[in-house]
Amino acid sequence: MIKQRILVTVDNIIFTITQDSLQILLIKRSIEPFKGERALPGGFVMEDETLQQAAYRKLADETSVKNAYLEQLYTFSEVKRDPRGRAISCAYIALMSRENVMIKPWDDAEEVKFFDVKKLPKLAFDHKKIVEYAIQRLKWKMEYTNVAQYILSKKFTLRQLQDVYETILDQQIDVRNFRKKIEKLGLVKETWEKEIGVQYRPAKLYTFVDKNLKIVEIL
Amino acid sequence: MIKQRILVTVDNIIFTITQDSLQILLIKRSIEPFKGERALPGGFVMEDETLQQAAYRKLADETSVKNAYLEQLYTFSEVKRDPRGRAISCAYIALMSRENVMIKPWDDAEEVKFFDVKKLPKLAFDHKKIVEYAIQRLKWKMEYTNVAQYILSKKFTLRQLQDVYETILDQQIDVRNFRKKIEKLGLVKETWEKEIGVQYRPAKLYTFVDKNLKIVEIL
DNA sequence: CTAATAGTGTCTCTGAGACACTATCTA
DNA sequence: TAGATAGTGTCTCAGAGACACTATTAG
């Protein structure tokens, strides 16, 4: 009765952060269409898994991280977005700390690597649009929730936390005011440890109090 | 090569507002499964239309409104959510002013009507969960954007605007502070008209300045 | 006039922003 | 000690919240 034939895929926008740049993971396509071009890692959804499970499965295919933060972004459905036929893509944002990531080789890609979001190559399909939307959502989440924890290591200095905000929001923040705000929100607590191996006054290490996503106005 | 068989549907959560209650449109299912139960209006996506277009088409099927505000909410994909087989549903939120709505009879439903969100009947499929999520999103949008305009008539009094906020957010707001905030945001402008037909001091009528969705902190 | 709602004045207190300052570490 | 970054004190000003007040209409 229903003759509908629409393929369902997931695509992951995997964010991580380095010194001073926000990065996403891209693969190089080894097959047509868009062979040789960069694209978001993703693939078809299986009939016995949810979209979220498919996104997790794909994430595990490409990286060593299994328990990353994952959030549905948007479902893209332009009729001509895939030249092979009608396909919609549910995009997922993943956040992980760089130290926890180990990139795996992947059967469908010649190369998998992180790119600075400010220096992205040309992307296959409608992935440019997807990435732009993901960055916008990420910025938003940074301002209004405690997602930052998922992109930082367990223990971190307040300076590192501020760097994450400054890098993702792409703006400078006053040190004093940032600390006042973070302290007042009660999102983090001090540990008794300090930074080691630095050639100046070592900073205290902090951890997040609440592991769950919380809505709070940070900036 | 790809043997995937997943059906793609859309469901609309159509919000409107009356005196003092937030309401959504529900149909009564005339066919199995869940025959006789209430459900969100929706249906299968066609191969030559986007999800948004499918949602608009369905909206036009059920109501007389053609240019309502429509926003993708989330794609629900639990494996067992539809007893007929694997189907995912992309849910859309629609907002409309009550005066513009005329409900049409619908071939797949014995009855179509608005229900107070605080007095919802049992819902088919996973629609209860979808509605809850939609209400949460709507509250959020009310606080941080100018969406209120899409659920009000073109011209309105500040009291009516405040009523919309109080009803949706389900909380009282101080009259003075609400007006100060709205004025400062510059979202609305006075017209030279006033309310008519009331038995007390008539209020000035206002309109929204910007027809597009804007992110601003209102409360 | 009264009843009813529209609409305003203003005080307090919190917190954002700016910016100069002090503290503590390594070498 | 110098050099570097961690971390703090404090002033100003905008705005959220509380609440009492005045204005304007119908009848």
mmCIF file of all heavy atoms in Angstrom, chain C residues 5 7 13 16 18 21 26:
data_model
loop_
_atom_site.group_PDB
_atom_site.id
_atom_site.type_symbol
_atom_site.label_atom_id
_atom_site.label_comp_id
_atom_site.label_asym_id
_atom_site.label_seq_id
_atom_site.Cartn_x
_atom_site.Cartn_y
_atom_site.Cartn_z
ATOM 1 P P DT C 5 -11.271 43.666 35.409
ATOM 2 O OP1 DT C 5 -11.772 42.373 34.908
ATOM 3 O OP2 DT C 5 -10.658 43.802 36.743
ATOM 4 O "O5'" DT C 5 -10.217 44.223 34.358
ATOM 5 C "C5'" DT C 5 -10.671 44.648 33.085
ATOM 6 C "C4'" DT C 5 -9.773 45.743 32.594
ATOM 7 O "O4'" DT C 5 -9.859 46.889 33.477
ATOM 8 C "C3'" DT C 5 -8.293 45.367 32.527
ATOM 9 O "O3'" DT C 5 -7.840 45.631 31.207
ATOM 10 C "C2'" DT C 5 -7.626 46.273 33.537
ATOM 11 C "C1'" DT C 5 -8.577 47.479 33.540
ATOM 12 N N1 DT C 5 -8.471 48.301 34.757
ATOM 13 C C2 DT C 5 -8.219 49.645 34.649
ATOM 14 O O2 DT C 5 -8.105 50.218 33.578
ATOM 15 N N3 DT C 5 -8.094 50.325 35.829
ATOM 16 C C4 DT C 5 -8.205 49.792 37.099
ATOM 17 O O4 DT C 5 -8.078 50.515 38.090
ATOM 18 C C5 DT C 5 -8.476 48.378 37.151
ATOM 19 C C7 DT C 5 -8.609 47.707 38.477
ATOM 20 C C6 DT C 5 -8.593 47.695 36.001
ATOM 21 P P DG C 7 -2.702 50.172 27.467
ATOM 22 O OP1 DG C 7 -2.821 51.102 26.341
ATOM 23 O OP2 DG C 7 -2.207 48.813 27.261
ATOM 24 O "O5'" DG C 7 -1.793 50.866 28.587
ATOM 25 C "C5'" DG C 7 -1.979 52.242 28.883
ATOM 26 C "C4'" DG C 7 -1.146 52.604 30.074
ATOM 27 O "O4'" DG C 7 -1.610 51.900 31.236
ATOM 28 C "C3'" DG C 7 0.349 52.280 29.990
ATOM 29 O "O3'" DG C 7 1.051 53.510 29.886
ATOM 30 C "C2'" DG C 7 0.639 51.518 31.264
ATOM 31 C "C1'" DG C 7 -0.540 51.921 32.146
ATOM 32 N N9 DG C 7 -0.797 51.019 33.264
ATOM 33 C C8 DG C 7 -1.185 49.698 33.235
ATOM 34 N N7 DG C 7 -1.327 49.162 34.429
ATOM 35 C C5 DG C 7 -1.001 50.210 35.298
ATOM 36 C C6 DG C 7 -0.961 50.236 36.716
ATOM 37 O O6 DG C 7 -1.203 49.328 37.517
ATOM 38 N N1 DG C 7 -0.587 51.492 37.195
ATOM 39 C C2 DG C 7 -0.278 52.572 36.407
ATOM 40 N N2 DG C 7 0.078 53.701 37.039
ATOM 41 N N3 DG C 7 -0.318 52.566 35.076
ATOM 42 C C4 DG C 7 -0.685 51.357 34.600
ATOM 43 P P DC C 13 18.053 46.397 49.578
ATOM 44 O OP1 DC C 13 17.649 46.039 50.947
ATOM 45 O OP2 DC C 13 19.155 47.376 49.346
ATOM 46 O "O5'" DC C 13 18.411 45.060 48.787
ATOM 47 C "C5'" DC C 13 17.440 44.462 47.894
ATOM 48 C "C4'" DC C 13 18.171 43.764 46.774
ATOM 49 O "O4'" DC C 13 18.189 44.587 45.583
ATOM 50 C "C3'" DC C 13 19.644 43.430 47.071
ATOM 51 O "O3'" DC C 13 19.916 42.171 46.494
ATOM 52 C "C2'" DC C 13 20.391 44.549 46.343
ATOM 53 C "C1'" DC C 13 19.510 44.689 45.100
ATOM 54 N N1 DC C 13 19.635 45.975 44.355
ATOM 55 C C2 DC C 13 19.415 45.972 42.968
ATOM 56 O O2 DC C 13 19.113 44.910 42.410
ATOM 57 N N3 DC C 13 19.530 47.136 42.287
ATOM 58 C C4 DC C 13 19.850 48.262 42.932
ATOM 59 N N4 DC C 13 19.943 49.378 42.209
ATOM 60 C C5 DC C 13 20.088 48.287 44.346
ATOM 61 C C6 DC C 13 19.974 47.133 45.012
ATOM 62 P P DA C 16 26.187 37.839 36.026
ATOM 63 O OP1 DA C 16 25.349 36.668 35.682
ATOM 64 O OP2 DA C 16 27.455 37.661 36.769
ATOM 65 O "O5'" DA C 16 26.509 38.630 34.679
ATOM 66 C "C5'" DA C 16 25.496 39.385 34.034
ATOM 67 C "C4'" DA C 16 26.115 40.591 33.357
ATOM 68 O "O4'" DA C 16 26.365 41.635 34.328
ATOM 69 C "C3'" DA C 16 27.451 40.307 32.682
ATOM 70 O "O3'" DA C 16 27.448 40.997 31.436
ATOM 71 C "C2'" DA C 16 28.489 40.878 33.644
ATOM 72 C "C1'" DA C 16 27.726 42.023 34.297
ATOM 73 N N9 DA C 16 28.092 42.308 35.685
ATOM 74 C C8 DA C 16 28.161 41.421 36.726
ATOM 75 N N7 DA C 16 28.486 41.972 37.876
ATOM 76 C C5 DA C 16 28.629 43.315 37.568
ATOM 77 C C6 DA C 16 28.963 44.438 38.345
ATOM 78 N N6 DA C 16 29.218 44.383 39.651
ATOM 79 N N1 DA C 16 29.026 45.637 37.724
ATOM 80 C C2 DA C 16 28.775 45.694 36.407
ATOM 81 N N3 DA C 16 28.440 44.715 35.576
ATOM 82 C C4 DA C 16 28.396 43.533 36.222
ATOM 83 P P DA C 18 33.551 45.018 29.034
ATOM 84 O OP1 DA C 18 33.325 45.675 27.729
ATOM 85 O OP2 DA C 18 34.158 43.676 29.112
ATOM 86 O "O5'" DA C 18 34.428 45.990 29.950
ATOM 87 C "C5'" DA C 18 33.841 47.185 30.487
ATOM 88 C "C4'" DA C 18 34.825 47.843 31.437
ATOM 89 O "O4'" DA C 18 34.696 47.258 32.762
ATOM 90 C "C3'" DA C 18 36.295 47.671 31.037
ATOM 91 O "O3'" DA C 18 36.973 48.907 31.191
ATOM 92 C "C2'" DA C 18 36.812 46.610 32.001
ATOM 93 C "C1'" DA C 18 35.965 46.894 33.247
ATOM 94 N N9 DA C 18 35.793 45.732 34.114
ATOM 95 C C8 DA C 18 35.581 44.428 33.732
ATOM 96 N N7 DA C 18 35.456 43.593 34.734
ATOM 97 C C5 DA C 18 35.607 44.396 35.856
ATOM 98 C C6 DA C 18 35.583 44.114 37.227
ATOM 99 N N6 DA C 18 35.401 42.885 37.734
ATOM 100 N N1 DA C 18 35.766 45.136 38.090
ATOM 101 C C2 DA C 18 35.960 46.366 37.590
ATOM 102 N N3 DA C 18 36.002 46.767 36.320
ATOM 103 C C4 DA C 18 35.808 45.716 35.490
ATOM 104 P P DC C 21 47.029 49.656 40.197
ATOM 105 O OP1 DC C 21 47.051 50.854 41.044
ATOM 106 O OP2 DC C 21 47.980 49.501 39.066
ATOM 107 O "O5'" DC C 21 47.189 48.374 41.128
ATOM 108 C "C5'" DC C 21 46.358 48.253 42.281
ATOM 109 C "C4'" DC C 21 46.104 46.799 42.569
ATOM 110 O "O4'" DC C 21 45.676 46.128 41.373
ATOM 111 C "C3'" DC C 21 47.333 45.991 42.987
ATOM 112 O "O3'" DC C 21 47.555 46.124 44.381
ATOM 113 C "C2'" DC C 21 46.899 44.563 42.636
ATOM 114 C "C1'" DC C 21 45.765 44.740 41.650
ATOM 115 N N1 DC C 21 45.921 43.973 40.381
ATOM 116 C C2 DC C 21 45.525 42.649 40.370
ATOM 117 O O2 DC C 21 45.064 42.138 41.407
ATOM 118 N N3 DC C 21 45.655 41.929 39.228
ATOM 119 C C4 DC C 21 46.147 42.506 38.135
ATOM 120 N N4 DC C 21 46.246 41.751 37.043
ATOM 121 C C5 DC C 21 46.551 43.875 38.123
ATOM 122 C C6 DC C 21 46.434 44.562 39.253
ATOM 123 P P DT C 26 57.472 25.074 41.529
ATOM 124 O OP1 DT C 26 57.358 23.626 41.270
ATOM 125 O OP2 DT C 26 58.240 25.574 42.692
ATOM 126 O "O5'" DT C 26 58.044 25.807 40.231
ATOM 127 C "C5'" DT C 26 57.487 25.529 38.936
ATOM 128 C "C4'" DT C 26 58.410 26.093 37.883
ATOM 129 O "O4'" DT C 26 58.528 27.525 38.047
ATOM 130 C "C3'" DT C 26 59.834 25.532 37.941
ATOM 131 O "O3'" DT C 26 60.266 25.271 36.612
ATOM 132 C "C2'" DT C 26 60.632 26.621 38.629
ATOM 133 C "C1'" DT C 26 59.895 27.897 38.216
ATOM 134 N N1 DT C 26 59.923 28.990 39.225
ATOM 135 C C2 DT C 26 60.291 30.252 38.830
ATOM 136 O O2 DT C 26 60.625 30.540 37.696
ATOM 137 N N3 DT C 26 60.273 31.193 39.837
ATOM 138 C C4 DT C 26 59.922 31.001 41.163
ATOM 139 O O4 DT C 26 59.929 31.922 41.966
ATOM 140 C C5 DT C 26 59.542 29.651 41.508
ATOM 141 C C7 DT C 26 59.151 29.319 42.902
ATOM 142 C C6 DT C 26 59.561 28.709 40.541
#
